[in-house]
Amino acid sequence: MIFAGMDTLLLTVMAYDRYVAICHPLYYMVIMNPRFCGILVLISWFIMFWVSLLHILLMRRLTFCVGTEIPHFSCELAQILKVACSDTLINNIVLYVSAALLGVLPLTGILFSYSKIVSSLMRMSSAGGKYKAFSTCGSHLSVVSLFYGTSLGVYLSSALTHSSLQNSVASVMYTVVTPMLNPFIYSLRNKDVKGALRRLLKLAASCL
């Protein structure tokens, strides 16, 4: 829970970083200094630690039947609540409220940052400047789309279907696949990586 929540909060911090870099380039080093960046990371850890601790303490009041099996590859909170033998109303309320706050508020911050970035790009007269500014945001936008797309798919699929296999596959997408793709996506700005990818695609095309 801490790492999943940290992902959303750090993506929001990175969106703010892009906003400052593009909209206030002269003040970037003053605003995004190492001390301020460290404070943002610590705040993210602090928020997720207490949210996770709250869920753990609420989980202690639940009872479970002997021999209970969770049809999932990990002890995901929503799956644990489904197999509890006692009343889970309070747990579900806290779960949905925290998920809404940690999902909606960071996403709102990301969308607000990019609305300001797009507004700033529209006022640029240089096409080269627009391309350079957009290229700094491309990798971050890809990761945001991948993370929120798979996360939304997980919770929609768990609400609409009772298939444990589908829920497990969807969870693997945003807990394992998405973090593994992050280094690759961010390294696409590197010219050597781009060249290697082009050669790989040409080789694959020639084999077909």
Side-chain angles (χ1 to χ4, degrees):
M1 286 184 63
I2 288 176
F3 288 118
M6 280 290 293
D7 214 343
T8 64
L9 295 176
L10 291 179
L11 285 173
T12 309
V13 171
M14 291 171 69
Y16 178 69
D17 175 79
R18 300 297 192 276
Y19 159 72
V20 175
I22 293 172
C23 299
H24 305 285
L26 298 179
Y27 296 98
Y28 178 79
M29 295 304 296
V30 177
I31 298 173
M32 299 303 294
N33 58 76
R35 182 172 177 271
F36 182 63
C37 292
I39 290 172
L40 291 175
V41 173
L42 285 175
I43 290 172
S44 301
W45 271 105
F46 183 79
I47 291 171
M48 286 315 305
F49 173 79
W50 285 106
V51 169
S52 302
L53 184 62
L54 175 62
H55 284 299
I56 291 170
L57 294 175
L58 287 173
M59 193 69 67
R60 287 176 59 85
R61 55 184 286 277
L62 300 179
T63 56
F64 298 88
C65 300
V66 178
T68 299
E69 291 185 1
I70 301 171
H72 210 269
F73 81 100
S74 67
C75 295
E76 198 170 57
L77 186 59
Q79 300 297 325
I80 296 175
L81 294 179
K82 285 181 181 180
V83 297
C85 297
S86 54
D87 183 38
T88 60
L89 178 62
I90 296 175
N91 297 73
N92 282 317
I93 290 172
V94 174
L95 174 62
Y96 288 122
V97 170
S98 60
L101 291 176
L102 292 172
V104 174
L105 291 181
L107 184 59
T108 303
I110 291 170
L111 293 175
F112 177 77
S113 296
Y114 275 103
S115 68
K116 292 291 185 180
I117 289 172
V118 170
S119 176
S120 178
L121 290 178
M122 295 296 288
R123 292 195 297 269
M124 283 186 183
S125 56
S126 168
K130 288 182 180 180
Y131 175 78
K132 185 178 179 181
F134 181 76
S135 66
T136 63
C137 303
S139 54
H140 180 254
L141 277 173
S142 301
V143 173
V144 168
S145 304
L146 193 62
F147 178 79
Y148 277 98
T150 51
S151 302
L152 186 62
V154 168
Y155 287 103
L156 285 178
S157 65
S158 63
L160 297 175
T161 181
H162 297 288
S163 171
S164 58
L165 178 61
Q166 289 183 7
N167 291 339
S168 298
V169 170
S171 294
V172 169
M173 281 299 296
Y174 84 94
T175 57
V176 179
V177 177
T178 303
M180 285 176 64
L181 287 175
N182 283 357
F184 175 73
I185 292 172
Y186 285 118
S187 64
L188 282 177
R189 291 184 60 198
N190 186 296
K191 291 181 180 179
D192 294 332
V193 174
K194 283 182 179 178
L197 183 62
R198 287 195 195 99
R199 289 193 295 271
L200 183 63
L201 291 174
K202 286 179 181 177
L203 181 63
S206 63
C207 292
L208 294 174

